[in-house]
Amino acid sequence: MTGGTTEGTTGGTLADLPEPAARLYDVRYSRYQGAHEPRWRSVLALARSSAGRALGLRRTAGAKVWPFFLLACVYLPVIAVVGIPLLFDGAPDPLDILSYQQLLGLLTLVIVAFTATTLPSLLTRERRDRVLSLYFSTALSRTEYVVGKLLAAVTLTSLVTLGPLLALFAGTILTAEAPLDLLRSEGGDLPAVVLGGVVVALYFAALGLLAGSLTAKRVFAVGGLLAALLVTPVLSGLAFGLSGRRDLLVIDLSQVPQRAAGTLLPGQAFEPNPPDAALVWAVWALVLLATSLVMTLVYRNRDSA
Amino acid sequence: MSTAALAVDGLVKAFGDVRALDGVTATVSAPATGLLGANGAGKSTLMKVALGLLAPDAGSVAVLGLDAARDRHQIRARVGYMPEHSCLPTDMSAQDLCIHLARLRGLPRRDALRRASEVLFAVGLEEERHRPVSTYSLGMAQRTKLAQALVHGPDLVVLDEPTSGLDPAGRHEMLRILRHLSRDLGIQVLVSSHVLDDIERTCDEVVVLSSGRVTAQQAVTATASGGPVALQVSGDPRAFVARLHEHRLPAALDGSRILLPSSEPALLTRVRDLAADTGTGIMSLVDASHALEDAVVGAMA
């Protein structure tokens, strides 16, 4: 502890005392005199906190079960295909069992479930609890808030899109008989893998935020998003079946980013005859544009807090 | 002279056909200022315009000498705000909320942790700080709202109806904390209320709003007229009155207040000295001649 008399019973001084093992702090309120961090650190703090809460971190155990169950689900296929060559001699390479495009196609349902149940609450919970007036009065600007939420959403969707792709890439390299040789030959695929993962992550992040910004009630946002992502595949199948036009498959909103990423990712495609790539990219861009417009309209209004 | 906490000039804000602020002009520079008015008088609207939450239709606003429209970033760093309505994330604890808002206001993580502990201790929530806000009583939720407004060490705190819905004990505690802010910690306080007693007990000046206009602005302190004053002390007021009588000082108990028949400087000095000798804290000393009450009632009519 600090303090005490300047002379001890043996006649020594404070300088003679050993280094204190503990230090006492006065926890009574005082004026803050310390430095302030740059604003981008605040935006990162918002993104980190928002993503953590969406995953149930620093909340009850029950709040963590569903998001972490889905996270486990997206990495199971990767663990399986990476593990096979380790267990069986002469087994094919992971990428020969499951290509990047096939992995994304396989994970569609889990990605949809994760997006619909996790992302809207990034926005709905704070509107429900009316926390925005606290944020916008003295903590954040509206632009900083939107950027922070976008970062949180992309971080979350990257966990279920980019994460498995990178895990498959790394697993393929690490389980190869000559990892360095394979890294030299296949390392050039990494930018395309990252870009493909980001394309899918951005799309689902945008959809999740779009649903969350349209209502303060989470149940409506989740229901609306699930309806859009589960009904459109049926509609697109019906439209294709009736007309025979493959371009009508782009109505399926749950497959748009996988098809767009398919134009970037190496390896075997997850469907033999995809719709026209330009049309797919147009729908992908349209969803991002719609989200930007809606969020601008919802959060630019100063009177809405 | 210190910078005015708030200076508004010709402020107008309308919601449809209703003019919530109708040409408000006032300068607020006292350590603690109360915005007094009936429901719908424009108190909350004035605060929200000052904080940039609402855009004014006309007029200008300066907060701590900074233009509210142009210098919002600097204002945000120097102002704390406690809204009237429920605004706490129900799944967070008070500790997590204060740390979170401190981080959003630019404090480094280590400082945010320390400051959260300090403010929660200051508002009396040190024991319950890890519980989710959803389990808090109304009084605890109000104190959490106050704590988050203080966590970044603001120069000015804007408090919208801080005693709203509190029971008498909670209200007394909240008023004590508010007085502590301006008197002991040097934080300028702008507090709205529709209860004159709250303003008298916590503020040095009162601004009365009625139908979106400033209808009165005057000091709350005991007047120099030498008229009667009311004293509020910490601890047992009955015991303090007895000590005053022992020293042949005229005083009478009126509920929890002590009435002194005059505000002559000699008498007030002796009362102050006796309070210091007995370790009694003087919480408020206000005019008891009802001059303020009469003025406010007249201004709100």
Side-chain angles (χ1 to χ4, degrees):
Chain A
M1 71 182 268
T2 59
T5 58
T6 54
E7 291 201 3
T9 53
T10 58
T13 64
L14 273 180
D16 300 327
L17 294 174
E19 275 295 302
R23 191 175 294 275
L24 286 180
Y25 287 98
D26 184 350
V27 296
R28 285 176 301 180
Y29 182 86
S30 57
R31 300 297 293 278
Y32 179 66
Q33 305 291 343
H36 284 79
E37 292 181 330
R39 293 305 304 160
W40 63 266
R41 295 292 293 268
S42 301
V43 175
L44 285 186
L46 175 69
R48 187 164 48 238
S49 165
S50 300
R53 285 175 72 198
L55 292 174
L57 303 182
R58 297 196 68 78
R59 294 171 63 202
T60 61
K64 298 175 182 66
V65 172
W66 180 247
F68 277 93
F69 167 73
L70 294 176
L71 281 179
C73 287
V74 294
Y75 287 94
L76 276 179
V78 180
I79 293 169
V81 297
V82 169
I84 286 172
L86 294 176
L87 295 174
F88 303 104
D89 287 337
D93 288 340
L95 284 174
D96 293 333
I97 303 172
L98 191 66
S99 72
Y100 297 114
Q101 295 187 52
Q102 288 169 331
L103 176 63
L104 282 179
L106 185 69
L107 295 178
T108 297
L109 200 60
V110 185
I111 296 172
V112 165
F114 186 85
T115 301
T117 55
T118 307
L119 263 66
S121 63
L122 287 175
L123 300 174
T124 56
R125 187 182 288 127
E126 283 162 356
R127 286 175 72 187
R128 178 199 67 193
D129 292 337
R130 304 173 73 188
V131 186
L132 296 183
S133 57
L134 272 188
Y135 285 168
F136 296 157
S137 58
T138 60
L140 290 167
S141 70
R142 285 160 196 274
T143 306
E144 289 169 341
Y145 178 79
V146 170
V147 171
K149 291 297 177 179
L150 182 63
L151 281 176
V154 173
T155 302
L156 288 169
T157 50
S158 293
L159 289 176
V160 294
T161 57
L162 180 59
L165 292 178
L166 288 177
L168 183 57
F169 177 84
T172 303
I173 300 290
L174 292 174
T175 57
E177 289 182 6
L180 284 178
D181 290 343
L182 191 63
L183 182 62
R184 270 191 285 272
S185 63
E186 304 292 332
D189 291 344
L190 186 59
V193 170
V194 171
L195 195 58
V198 168
V199 163
V200 183
L202 272 176
Y203 177 87
F204 282 109
L207 272 186
L209 292 177
L210 180 63
S213 57
L214 289 174
T215 174
K217 293 189 184 299
R218 179 176 178 268
V219 65
F220 291 159
V222 172
L225 191 51
L226 276 177
L229 291 174
L230 296 180
V231 172
T232 52
V234 179
L235 290 178
S236 73
L238 279 175
F240 173 63
L242 291 173
S243 68
R245 290 177 55 194
R246 296 206 65 82
D247 288 347
L248 290 176
L249 290 175
V250 295
I251 298 172
D252 179 358
L253 291 178
S254 68
Q255 295 284 357
V256 167
Q258 293 89 324
R259 286 175 172 139
T263 63
L264 304 168
L265 292 169
Q268 194 178 346
F270 79 99
E271 60 183 346
N273 295 306
D276 179 51
L279 201 56
V280 169
W281 278 105
V283 175
W284 182 89
L286 199 63
V287 167
L288 265 65
L289 186 65
T291 300
S292 306
L293 277 175
V294 168
M295 291 195 72
T296 302
L297 288 172
V298 169
Y299 290 101
R300 79 168 178 184
N301 183 2
R302 301 177 80 185
D303 292 4
S304 68
Chain B
M1 182 179 168
S2 63
T3 308
L6 178 68
V8 293
D9 185 18
L11 201 59
V12 175
K13 175 67 185 175
F15 298 100
D17 295 334
V18 179
R19 287 170 79 90
L21 298 176
D22 191 8
V24 171
T25 298
T27 300
V28 169
S29 53
T33 302
L35 278 180
L36 196 63
N39 292 330
K43 308 184 295 293
S44 296
T45 304
L46 177 57
M47 288 179 160
K48 287 180 179 176
V49 169
L51 292 163
L53 289 170
L54 296 175
D57 297 328
S60 64
V61 187
V63 179
L64 296 169
L66 300 164
D67 188 300
R70 196 184 58 228
D71 305 318
R72 284 202 64 213
H73 176 65
Q74 292 97 311
I75 290 173
R76 277 203 298 269
R78 295 179 58 190
V79 176
Y81 173 52
M82 174 182 172
E84 178 188 8
H85 61 74
S86 170
C87 60
L88 301 175
T90 50
D91 60 341
M92 289 178 96
S93 67
Q95 170 95 352
D96 285 347
L97 174 67
C98 286
I99 292 171
H100 177 55
L101 280 161
R103 298 283 288 130
L104 297 190
R105 287 164 178 150
L107 270 65
R109 177 154 188 83
R110 185 183 293 267
D111 288 340
L113 281 164
R114 183 176 56 80
R115 294 288 304 174
S117 294
E118 285 183 11
V119 290
L120 290 168
F121 185 85
V123 301
L125 274 179
E126 66 274 20
E127 296 292 333
E128 299 88 0
R129 65 184 187 276
H130 295 300
R131 279 170 43 192
V133 167
S134 57
T135 66
Y136 283 2
S137 67
L138 184 59
M140 290 161 67
Q142 290 290 85
R143 282 185 277 167
T144 305
K145 281 159 59 177
L146 178 60
Q148 65 76 29
L150 298 171
V151 73
H152 58 308
D155 295 318
L156 166 70
V157 281
V158 178
L159 312 166
D160 198 354
E161 304 271 6
T163 58
S164 177
L166 294 182
D167 60 28
R171 177 167 166 262
H172 174 80
E173 180 63 13
M174 179 61 76
L175 295 177
R176 186 193 65 77
I177 295 170
L178 298 190
R179 199 61 187 134
H180 178 61
L181 295 179
S182 64
R183 182 169 288 174
D184 305 323
L185 301 179
I187 300 173
Q188 282 188 287
V189 174
L190 180 63
V191 55
S192 77
S193 178
H194 55 271
V195 181
L196 177 59
D197 186 51
D198 287 0
I199 300 296
E200 279 188 309
R201 289 169 62 178
T202 55
C203 296
D204 307 294
E205 186 179 58
V206 60
V207 175
V208 182
L209 283 172
S210 179
S211 302
R213 291 174 176 272
V214 174
T215 49
Q217 181 171 7
Q218 68 179 82
V220 175
T221 52
T223 60
S225 64
V229 289
L231 184 67
Q232 286 204 311
V233 297
S234 61
D236 181 11
R238 194 180 304 275
F240 190 63
V241 168
R243 296 300 302 270
L244 290 170
H245 289 163
E246 284 173 17
H247 288 76
R248 301 180 188 284
L249 295 173
L253 199 61
D254 177 28
S256 63
R257 305 193 308 172
I258 299 167
L259 294 177
L260 303 177
S262 81
S263 55
E264 293 298 331
L267 173 62
L268 296 183
T269 301
R270 291 188 65 191
V271 171
R272 182 201 62 193
D273 293 344
L274 187 59
D277 291 343
T278 57
T280 305
I282 294 178
M283 295 167 61
S284 72
L285 178 67
V286 297
D287 185 4
S289 65
H290 303 295
L292 177 64
E293 186 175 345
D294 294 343
V296 167
V297 169
M300 290 172 68

PDB file of all heavy atoms in Angstrom, chain A residues 179-205:
ATOM      1  N   PRO A 179       3.486 -29.150 -47.700  1.00  0.00           N
ATOM      2  CA  PRO A 179       2.707 -27.913 -47.540  1.00  0.00           C
ATOM      3  C   PRO A 179       3.301 -26.708 -48.248  1.00  0.00           C
ATOM      4  O   PRO A 179       2.574 -25.926 -48.869  1.00  0.00           O
ATOM      5  CB  PRO A 179       2.689 -27.703 -46.012  1.00  0.00           C
ATOM      6  CG  PRO A 179       2.915 -29.059 -45.443  1.00  0.00           C
ATOM      7  CD  PRO A 179       3.811 -29.768 -46.409  1.00  0.00           C
ATOM      8  N   LEU A 180       4.622 -26.551 -48.174  1.00  0.00           N
ATOM      9  CA  LEU A 180       5.236 -25.373 -48.780  1.00  0.00           C
ATOM     10  C   LEU A 180       5.098 -25.396 -50.301  1.00  0.00           C
ATOM     11  O   LEU A 180       4.858 -24.359 -50.929  1.00  0.00           O
ATOM     12  CB  LEU A 180       6.705 -25.273 -48.374  1.00  0.00           C
ATOM     13  CG  LEU A 180       6.946 -24.779 -46.944  1.00  0.00           C
ATOM     14  CD1 LEU A 180       8.432 -24.762 -46.623  1.00  0.00           C
ATOM     15  CD2 LEU A 180       6.349 -23.390 -46.738  1.00  0.00           C
ATOM     16  N   ASP A 181       5.259 -26.583 -50.855  1.00  0.00           N
ATOM     17  CA  ASP A 181       5.114 -26.699 -52.311  1.00  0.00           C
ATOM     18  C   ASP A 181       3.688 -26.353 -52.723  1.00  0.00           C
ATOM     19  O   ASP A 181       3.466 -25.642 -53.717  1.00  0.00           O
ATOM     20  CB  ASP A 181       5.447 -28.124 -52.765  1.00  0.00           C
ATOM     21  CG  ASP A 181       6.932 -28.413 -52.617  1.00  0.00           C
ATOM     22  OD1 ASP A 181       7.692 -27.435 -52.494  1.00  0.00           O
ATOM     23  OD2 ASP A 181       7.314 -29.604 -52.585  1.00  0.00           O
ATOM     24  N   LEU A 182       2.739 -26.864 -51.927  1.00  0.00           N
ATOM     25  CA  LEU A 182       1.337 -26.589 -52.260  1.00  0.00           C
ATOM     26  C   LEU A 182       1.010 -25.101 -52.071  1.00  0.00           C
ATOM     27  O   LEU A 182       0.261 -24.520 -52.854  1.00  0.00           O
ATOM     28  CB  LEU A 182       0.413 -27.450 -51.372  1.00  0.00           C
ATOM     29  CG  LEU A 182      -1.054 -27.456 -51.796  1.00  0.00           C
ATOM     30  CD1 LEU A 182      -1.207 -28.080 -53.192  1.00  0.00           C
ATOM     31  CD2 LEU A 182      -1.917 -28.231 -50.806  1.00  0.00           C
ATOM     32  N   LEU A 183       1.602 -24.521 -51.031  1.00  0.00           N
ATOM     33  CA  LEU A 183       1.369 -23.086 -50.809  1.00  0.00           C
ATOM     34  C   LEU A 183       1.885 -22.274 -51.994  1.00  0.00           C
ATOM     35  O   LEU A 183       1.256 -21.306 -52.425  1.00  0.00           O
ATOM     36  CB  LEU A 183       2.059 -22.639 -49.511  1.00  0.00           C
ATOM     37  CG  LEU A 183       1.857 -21.181 -49.116  1.00  0.00           C
ATOM     38  CD1 LEU A 183       0.382 -20.893 -48.863  1.00  0.00           C
ATOM     39  CD2 LEU A 183       2.658 -20.829 -47.868  1.00  0.00           C
ATOM     40  N   ARG A 184       3.051 -22.698 -52.521  1.00  0.00           N
ATOM     41  CA  ARG A 184       3.602 -21.980 -53.671  1.00  0.00           C
ATOM     42  C   ARG A 184       2.708 -22.136 -54.902  1.00  0.00           C
ATOM     43  O   ARG A 184       2.487 -21.180 -55.643  1.00  0.00           O
ATOM     44  CB  ARG A 184       5.014 -22.498 -53.976  1.00  0.00           C
ATOM     45  CG  ARG A 184       6.105 -21.734 -53.225  1.00  0.00           C
ATOM     46  CD  ARG A 184       7.484 -22.080 -53.729  1.00  0.00           C
ATOM     47  NE  ARG A 184       7.935 -23.403 -53.273  1.00  0.00           N
ATOM     48  CZ  ARG A 184       8.572 -23.614 -52.127  1.00  0.00           C
ATOM     49  NH1 ARG A 184       8.862 -22.603 -51.346  1.00  0.00           N
ATOM     50  NH2 ARG A 184       8.935 -24.820 -51.769  1.00  0.00           N
ATOM     51  N   SER A 185       2.155 -23.332 -55.070  1.00  0.00           N
ATOM     52  CA  SER A 185       1.370 -23.555 -56.285  1.00  0.00           C
ATOM     53  C   SER A 185      -0.073 -23.036 -56.150  1.00  0.00           C
ATOM     54  O   SER A 185      -0.660 -22.557 -57.113  1.00  0.00           O
ATOM     55  CB  SER A 185       1.360 -25.043 -56.637  1.00  0.00           C
ATOM     56  OG  SER A 185       0.727 -25.782 -55.603  1.00  0.00           O
ATOM     57  N   GLU A 186      -0.642 -23.155 -54.939  1.00  0.00           N
ATOM     58  CA  GLU A 186      -2.051 -22.782 -54.755  1.00  0.00           C
ATOM     59  C   GLU A 186      -2.229 -21.437 -54.043  1.00  0.00           C
ATOM     60  O   GLU A 186      -3.346 -20.970 -53.901  1.00  0.00           O
ATOM     61  CB  GLU A 186      -2.786 -23.857 -53.932  1.00  0.00           C
ATOM     62  CG  GLU A 186      -2.707 -25.275 -54.496  1.00  0.00           C
ATOM     63  CD  GLU A 186      -3.471 -25.430 -55.801  1.00  0.00           C
ATOM     64  OE1 GLU A 186      -4.445 -24.689 -55.994  1.00  0.00           O
ATOM     65  OE2 GLU A 186      -3.053 -26.263 -56.638  1.00  0.00           O
ATOM     66  N   GLY A 187      -1.128 -20.854 -53.555  1.00  0.00           N
ATOM     67  CA  GLY A 187      -1.227 -19.606 -52.785  1.00  0.00           C
ATOM     68  C   GLY A 187      -1.859 -18.480 -53.579  1.00  0.00           C
ATOM     69  O   GLY A 187      -2.485 -17.577 -53.014  1.00  0.00           O
ATOM     70  N   GLY A 188      -1.723 -18.537 -54.896  1.00  0.00           N
ATOM     71  CA  GLY A 188      -2.311 -17.503 -55.742  1.00  0.00           C
ATOM     72  C   GLY A 188      -3.827 -17.480 -55.675  1.00  0.00           C
ATOM     73  O   GLY A 188      -4.457 -16.487 -56.074  1.00  0.00           O
ATOM     74  N   ASP A 189      -4.422 -18.572 -55.169  1.00  0.00           N
ATOM     75  CA  ASP A 189      -5.889 -18.611 -55.042  1.00  0.00           C
ATOM     76  C   ASP A 189      -6.399 -17.800 -53.852  1.00  0.00           C
ATOM     77  O   ASP A 189      -7.603 -17.500 -53.769  1.00  0.00           O
ATOM     78  CB  ASP A 189      -6.366 -20.068 -54.858  1.00  0.00           C
ATOM     79  CG  ASP A 189      -6.179 -20.893 -56.124  1.00  0.00           C
ATOM     80  OD1 ASP A 189      -5.983 -20.269 -57.190  1.00  0.00           O
ATOM     81  OD2 ASP A 189      -6.212 -22.137 -56.035  1.00  0.00           O
ATOM     82  N   LEU A 190      -5.487 -17.508 -52.924  1.00  0.00           N
ATOM     83  CA  LEU A 190      -5.938 -16.877 -51.675  1.00  0.00           C
ATOM     84  C   LEU A 190      -6.710 -15.563 -51.897  1.00  0.00           C
ATOM     85  O   LEU A 190      -7.782 -15.379 -51.301  1.00  0.00           O
ATOM     86  CB  LEU A 190      -4.741 -16.653 -50.734  1.00  0.00           C
ATOM     87  CG  LEU A 190      -5.094 -16.134 -49.348  1.00  0.00           C
ATOM     88  CD1 LEU A 190      -6.029 -17.085 -48.612  1.00  0.00           C
ATOM     89  CD2 LEU A 190      -3.838 -15.886 -48.512  1.00  0.00           C
ATOM     90  N   PRO A 191      -6.209 -14.623 -52.730  1.00  0.00           N
ATOM     91  CA  PRO A 191      -6.993 -13.389 -52.927  1.00  0.00           C
ATOM     92  C   PRO A 191      -8.405 -13.662 -53.429  1.00  0.00           C
ATOM     93  O   PRO A 191      -9.358 -13.024 -52.985  1.00  0.00           O
ATOM     94  CB  PRO A 191      -6.172 -12.613 -53.968  1.00  0.00           C
ATOM     95  CG  PRO A 191      -4.793 -13.134 -53.830  1.00  0.00           C
ATOM     96  CD  PRO A 191      -4.922 -14.572 -53.448  1.00  0.00           C
ATOM     97  N   ALA A 192      -8.525 -14.632 -54.358  1.00  0.00           N
ATOM     98  CA  ALA A 192      -9.857 -14.946 -54.880  1.00  0.00           C
ATOM     99  C   ALA A 192     -10.742 -15.554 -53.790  1.00  0.00           C
ATOM    100  O   ALA A 192     -11.941 -15.261 -53.717  1.00  0.00           O
ATOM    101  CB  ALA A 192      -9.741 -15.910 -56.058  1.00  0.00           C
ATOM    102  N   VAL A 193     -10.143 -16.389 -52.929  1.00  0.00           N
ATOM    103  CA  VAL A 193     -10.904 -16.997 -51.829  1.00  0.00           C
ATOM    104  C   VAL A 193     -11.396 -15.913 -50.871  1.00  0.00           C
ATOM    105  O   VAL A 193     -12.567 -15.891 -50.459  1.00  0.00           O
ATOM    106  CB  VAL A 193     -10.026 -18.038 -51.091  1.00  0.00           C
ATOM    107  CG1 VAL A 193     -10.711 -18.497 -49.806  1.00  0.00           C
ATOM    108  CG2 VAL A 193      -9.748 -19.228 -51.991  1.00  0.00           C
ATOM    109  N   VAL A 194     -10.493 -15.002 -50.527  1.00  0.00           N
ATOM    110  CA  VAL A 194     -10.870 -13.911 -49.611  1.00  0.00           C
ATOM    111  C   VAL A 194     -11.955 -13.043 -50.246  1.00  0.00           C
ATOM    112  O   VAL A 194     -12.970 -12.724 -49.606  1.00  0.00           O
ATOM    113  CB  VAL A 194      -9.630 -13.056 -49.243  1.00  0.00           C
ATOM    114  CG1 VAL A 194     -10.040 -11.810 -48.488  1.00  0.00           C
ATOM    115  CG2 VAL A 194      -8.647 -13.877 -48.429  1.00  0.00           C
ATOM    116  N   LEU A 195     -11.745 -12.684 -51.503  1.00  0.00           N
ATOM    117  CA  LEU A 195     -12.719 -11.836 -52.194  1.00  0.00           C
ATOM    118  C   LEU A 195     -14.086 -12.529 -52.275  1.00  0.00           C
ATOM    119  O   LEU A 195     -15.131 -11.906 -52.030  1.00  0.00           O
ATOM    120  CB  LEU A 195     -12.203 -11.490 -53.590  1.00  0.00           C
ATOM    121  CG  LEU A 195     -12.910 -10.341 -54.306  1.00  0.00           C
ATOM    122  CD1 LEU A 195     -12.827  -9.060 -53.494  1.00  0.00           C
ATOM    123  CD2 LEU A 195     -12.317 -10.117 -55.692  1.00  0.00           C
ATOM    124  N   GLY A 196     -14.067 -13.815 -52.607  1.00  0.00           N
ATOM    125  CA  GLY A 196     -15.322 -14.566 -52.682  1.00  0.00           C
ATOM    126  C   GLY A 196     -16.041 -14.588 -51.344  1.00  0.00           C
ATOM    127  O   GLY A 196     -17.257 -14.372 -51.264  1.00  0.00           O
ATOM    128  N   GLY A 197     -15.288 -14.814 -50.265  1.00  0.00           N
ATOM    129  CA  GLY A 197     -15.886 -14.813 -48.918  1.00  0.00           C
ATOM    130  C   GLY A 197     -16.448 -13.461 -48.558  1.00  0.00           C
ATOM    131  O   GLY A 197     -17.543 -13.351 -47.973  1.00  0.00           O
ATOM    132  N   VAL A 198     -15.731 -12.401 -48.923  1.00  0.00           N
ATOM    133  CA  VAL A 198     -16.192 -11.039 -48.607  1.00  0.00           C
ATOM    134  C   VAL A 198     -17.472 -10.713 -49.379  1.00  0.00           C
ATOM    135  O   VAL A 198     -18.387 -10.068 -48.846  1.00  0.00           O
ATOM    136  CB  VAL A 198     -15.071 -10.016 -48.918  1.00  0.00           C
ATOM    137  CG1 VAL A 198     -15.609  -8.596 -48.876  1.00  0.00           C
ATOM    138  CG2 VAL A 198     -13.923 -10.177 -47.940  1.00  0.00           C
ATOM    139  N   VAL A 199     -17.535 -11.158 -50.638  1.00  0.00           N
ATOM    140  CA  VAL A 199     -18.737 -10.908 -51.452  1.00  0.00           C
ATOM    141  C   VAL A 199     -19.970 -11.523 -50.777  1.00  0.00           C
ATOM    142  O   VAL A 199     -21.023 -10.882 -50.659  1.00  0.00           O
ATOM    143  CB  VAL A 199     -18.531 -11.502 -52.871  1.00  0.00           C
ATOM    144  CG1 VAL A 199     -19.875 -11.650 -53.602  1.00  0.00           C
ATOM    145  CG2 VAL A 199     -17.607 -10.616 -53.681  1.00  0.00           C
ATOM    146  N   VAL A 200     -19.833 -12.747 -50.298  1.00  0.00           N
ATOM    147  CA  VAL A 200     -20.964 -13.407 -49.638  1.00  0.00           C
ATOM    148  C   VAL A 200     -21.260 -12.730 -48.294  1.00  0.00           C
ATOM    149  O   VAL A 200     -22.427 -12.493 -47.945  1.00  0.00           O
ATOM    150  CB  VAL A 200     -20.664 -14.919 -49.433  1.00  0.00           C
ATOM    151  CG1 VAL A 200     -21.877 -15.618 -48.818  1.00  0.00           C
ATOM    152  CG2 VAL A 200     -20.297 -15.569 -50.745  1.00  0.00           C
ATOM    153  N   ALA A 201     -20.202 -12.402 -47.548  1.00  0.00           N
ATOM    154  CA  ALA A 201     -20.389 -11.775 -46.236  1.00  0.00           C
ATOM    155  C   ALA A 201     -21.087 -10.426 -46.360  1.00  0.00           C
ATOM    156  O   ALA A 201     -22.005 -10.107 -45.596  1.00  0.00           O
ATOM    157  CB  ALA A 201     -19.035 -11.611 -45.552  1.00  0.00           C
ATOM    158  N   LEU A 202     -20.664  -9.622 -47.344  1.00  0.00           N
ATOM    159  CA  LEU A 202     -21.269  -8.296 -47.536  1.00  0.00           C
ATOM    160  C   LEU A 202     -22.758  -8.420 -47.865  1.00  0.00           C
ATOM    161  O   LEU A 202     -23.588  -7.661 -47.346  1.00  0.00           O
ATOM    162  CB  LEU A 202     -20.560  -7.564 -48.684  1.00  0.00           C
ATOM    163  CG  LEU A 202     -19.328  -6.745 -48.341  1.00  0.00           C
ATOM    164  CD1 LEU A 202     -18.709  -6.180 -49.609  1.00  0.00           C
ATOM    165  CD2 LEU A 202     -19.686  -5.591 -47.395  1.00  0.00           C
ATOM    166  N   TYR A 203     -23.083  -9.361 -48.704  1.00  0.00           N
ATOM    167  CA  TYR A 203     -24.476  -9.532 -49.136  1.00  0.00           C
ATOM    168  C   TYR A 203     -25.372  -9.895 -47.951  1.00  0.00           C
ATOM    169  O   TYR A 203     -26.408  -9.250 -47.727  1.00  0.00           O
ATOM    170  CB  TYR A 203     -24.535 -10.626 -50.201  1.00  0.00           C
ATOM    171  CG  TYR A 203     -25.934 -10.950 -50.693  1.00  0.00           C
ATOM    172  CD1 TYR A 203     -26.513 -10.250 -51.737  1.00  0.00           C
ATOM    173  CD2 TYR A 203     -26.668 -11.972 -50.107  1.00  0.00           C
ATOM    174  CE1 TYR A 203     -27.797 -10.566 -52.189  1.00  0.00           C
ATOM    175  CE2 TYR A 203     -27.954 -12.292 -50.551  1.00  0.00           C
ATOM    176  CZ  TYR A 203     -28.505 -11.584 -51.592  1.00  0.00           C
ATOM    177  OH  TYR A 203     -29.775 -11.887 -52.028  1.00  0.00           O
ATOM    178  N   PHE A 204     -24.971 -10.904 -47.197  1.00  0.00           N
ATOM    179  CA  PHE A 204     -25.829 -11.316 -46.079  1.00  0.00           C
ATOM    180  C   PHE A 204     -25.830 -10.271 -44.961  1.00  0.00           C
ATOM    181  O   PHE A 204     -26.841 -10.098 -44.276  1.00  0.00           O
ATOM    182  CB  PHE A 204     -25.417 -12.701 -45.568  1.00  0.00           C
ATOM    183  CG  PHE A 204     -25.912 -13.816 -46.445  1.00  0.00           C
ATOM    184  CD1 PHE A 204     -25.037 -14.547 -47.227  1.00  0.00           C
ATOM    185  CD2 PHE A 204     -27.262 -14.116 -46.511  1.00  0.00           C
ATOM    186  CE1 PHE A 204     -25.498 -15.568 -48.059  1.00  0.00           C
ATOM    187  CE2 PHE A 204     -27.739 -15.133 -47.338  1.00  0.00           C
ATOM    188  CZ  PHE A 204     -26.858 -15.862 -48.114  1.00  0.00           C
ATOM    189  N   ALA A 205     -24.714  -9.570 -44.787  1.00  0.00           N
ATOM    190  CA  ALA A 205     -24.689  -8.474 -43.804  1.00  0.00           C
ATOM    191  C   ALA A 205     -25.688  -7.394 -44.210  1.00  0.00           C
ATOM    192  O   ALA A 205     -26.447  -6.873 -43.384  1.00  0.00           O
ATOM    193  CB  ALA A 205     -23.288  -7.897 -43.702  1.00  0.00           C
TER     194      ALA A 205
END
